[in-house]
Amino acid sequence: MKWDSEDEMETTLPRKLKLQFLTALSLPVFTGTRIEGEDCNILKVALIDSHTGKTISTGIESSSKVEIVVLEGDFGDDIGDNWTLEEFNANIVKERRGKKPLISGNSLLNLKEGVGLVGELCFTDNSSWTRSRKFRLGARVLDNLDGIRVREAISESFVVRDHRGELYKKHHPPYLCDEVWRLEKISKDGAFHKRLNKENVKTVKDFLVLLFLDPTTLRHILGPGMSTKMWEVVVEHATRCVIDDNKLYLYCPQAHKKDGVVFNVVGQVLGLLSDCKYIVSNKLPETEKAEAQKMVLYAFQHLDKVLHYDDEASLRNSICSFTKDLSPLHTQTMNESFEGNNAIPKGPFDYPQVNPTSPDIIRSSLGEYGPDQMGSIDVRFDQPMDFECRVDNTLICDPSSSMHLQYLGGGSPGELQCAVDRFLFPCSAMVKAQRRWKIVSSVVKWFSLMLKIQKGDVSSNDRMFDQDTRF
């Protein structure tokens, strides 16, 4: 009954139609460039019922002819949506004297089921000469719909710049190789640009390096003409730069490489290596961050002592190899530094280390893949087993692998811990550790089955030999 009453109200109300842009404009807009919607979509105009908000997809109105016009940028600011047809027409902007039509291309379109697509349109002149220095796009119905008033559509106001201004466009986000004037508040060939060029700060990368190493000097180079607010804007824009160089750098002041700082290509501190333990920068107190930044500054002054790595994985392996130089006593001291008897010590990258001599820890962390469940694994072989196979040719004894069977039978505790850490936690993820443990348990189970079969064959051969001897 309620729906029926609503339908009756809609039929009794006078029809109130309006045009509406369905897509927002892609900004900024330049002369000579096609007018498009956001994300390079085509601009769409629809005929809408003002009472219901739905598109009019049937009737003669749904196929009306529509014209796209240019309006003053401040039109509609004071009167909202309550303009008349005369006010709309009075705010249409025409071209300047002696100039081409303000927009070129096909400004007419036909609605199809209430929706129309704006064709190839572009501005021939900028908007700097108008009273608001901005334009709006407008759309109006040209057909006579039996006296029905269709309210015109207007877009948001926008600035139209000359095409040559596109060459000076700022990049969002900037890239390391961009020239420094691509940053906000730094105009090409302007005062700030000239000051920076004089100090060999020519790219966004140069700007970021000086920003991280010595922001005071960078602030001094720009001079008092850059206000605090301008400084915040340019720094915020610069720090959104795409760091497309994934190399990491390690600087250790001393030769034993137990302490050092890790930073990226622009000198940003990523972490601190303290007594062979790596701590990420967001976990460092402010005092240690300041000390780490000083170490980076010293590293840029002594580039011959800086080690570089292609990615984080190679850096992990390198830091893990440093622990081989530690004595067992020192390793024990590192493990005992954690509180509580049940605390699990953490490795160089803040992931929990698995102590190979602690089966309780292995059971709790590996679940169904722990040693207790090894007997339940069903290992099947589709191919006949070759008992003459050499252990050297197996997967876990591959010379290129970082883990060998020699660690299972000997080696120092530091070497064993490093091997387990490399194998279990290359990405600090327990899920991957469980998968790897499943592989290890399957291989060990396979070896144990081979040994049992070999022993069974030997015992059976002995029995056969005894029987032959009796005969």
Side-chain angles (χ1 to χ4, degrees), residues 23 34 67 113 175 197 202 292 314 339 429 436 453 465:
T23 49
R34 179 180 177 176
E67 181 185 18
E113 296 182 354
Y175 286 82
N197 266 343
K202 298 182 178 180
S314 59
E339 298 179 359
R436 289 168 179 264
I453 294 173
F465 178 75

Side-chain angles (χ1 to χ4, degrees), residues 151-438:
R151 196 188 70 191
E152 299 77 15
I154 64 172
S155 70
E156 296 293 327
S157 60
F158 55 90
V159 176
V160 177
R161 298 185 175 93
D162 287 323
H163 179 70
R164 64 177 180 269
E166 190 172 8
L167 301 175
Y168 301 90
K169 186 170 60 173
K170 306 298 182 183
H171 287 173
H172 295 275
Y175 286 82
L176 292 175
C177 59
D178 284 342
E179 294 187 73
V180 72
W181 55 263
R182 294 288 186 183
L183 296 176
E184 294 287 349
K185 305 302 179 184
I186 301 178
S187 302
K188 186 176 182 181
D189 298 328
F192 298 141
H193 186 202
K194 292 178 180 179
R195 284 173 173 267
L196 292 169
N197 266 343
K198 188 177 179 181
E199 301 296 331
N200 289 323
V201 182
K202 298 182 178 180
T203 64
V204 174
K205 178 181 176 181
D206 299 333
F207 186 94
L208 285 172
V209 169
L210 194 54
L211 175 65
F212 287 117
L213 297 185
D214 195 356
T216 305
T217 299
L218 179 59
R219 190 80 170 85
H220 179 73
I221 292 173
L222 293 171
M226 176 164 283
S227 64
T228 303
K229 188 167 184 179
M230 292 173 65
W231 166 257
E232 292 174 354
V233 171
V234 68
V235 167
E236 193 273 335
H237 188 203
T239 51
R240 283 191 284 136
C241 175
V242 177
I243 307 296
D244 50 7
D245 189 340
N246 296 325
K247 288 185 177 180
L248 302 178
Y249 300 85
L250 173 64
Y251 173 70
C252 299
Q254 300 177 6
H256 54 67
K257 300 178 182 178
K258 293 182 181 179
D259 301 306
V261 63
V262 178
F263 56 95
N264 60 12
V265 68
V266 295
Q268 182 182 13
V269 174
L270 301 180
L272 196 63
L273 184 64
S274 178
D275 202 15
C276 287
K277 178 178 174 59
Y278 183 76
I279 307 172
V280 292
S281 59
N282 57 6
K283 295 184 179 180
L284 293 173
E286 292 300 325
T287 54
E288 293 189 8
K289 284 183 181 179
E291 290 298 324
Q293 201 65 62
K294 290 180 181 179
M295 292 174 63
V296 174
L297 180 59
Y298 194 79
F300 271 80
Q301 297 171 356
H302 301 81
L303 294 176
D304 56 323
K305 297 181 180 180
V306 176
L307 303 176
H308 63 88
Y309 302 92
D310 293 332
D311 50 29
E312 187 177 343
S314 59
L315 176 64
R316 281 197 186 107
N317 293 334
S318 178
I319 292 179
C320 187
S321 66
F322 294 160
T323 60
K324 292 183 178 180
D325 300 329
L326 298 177
S327 62
L329 176 63
H330 184 72
T331 305
Q332 183 180 2
T333 304
M334 291 174 61
N335 292 340
E336 290 176 353
S337 63
F338 295 89
E339 298 179 359
N341 296 328
N342 298 325
I344 300 177
K346 293 186 178 181
F349 283 84
D350 291 333
Y351 57 76
Q353 287 185 352
V354 177
N355 188 346
T357 61
S358 302
D360 293 337
I361 296 177
I362 295 178
R363 290 192 193 98
S364 62
S365 59
L366 300 180
E368 60 176 317
Y369 307 119
D372 294 341
Q373 305 298 327
M374 191 178 295
S376 64
I377 298 176
D378 184 16
V379 182
R380 304 182 181 214
F381 304 96
D382 296 330
Q383 300 295 333
M385 292 184 294
D386 181 11
F387 298 117
E388 301 296 328
C389 68
R390 295 182 57 192
V391 177
D392 295 335
N393 295 331
T394 59
L395 175 63
I396 62 174
C397 286
D398 184 1
S400 63
S401 176
S402 61
M403 183 179 181
H404 305 280
L405 277 180
Q406 60 181 344
Y407 291 121
L408 299 178
S412 65
E415 292 176 343
L416 180 57
Q417 182 65 66
C418 183
V420 174
D421 290 347
R422 282 182 181 177
F423 188 76
L424 292 182
F425 300 101
C427 299
S428 304
M430 290 302 298
V431 176
K432 291 188 177 180
Q434 292 178 348
R435 291 202 300 265
R436 289 168 179 264
W437 262 111
K438 185 175 181 179

Side-chain angles (χ1 to χ4, degrees), residues 1-13:
M1 293 174 61
K2 183 179 179 181
W3 291 341
D4 293 339
S5 62
E6 288 179 354
D7 293 339
E8 290 178 3
M9 289 178 62
E10 290 181 7
T11 55
T12 55
L13 288 174

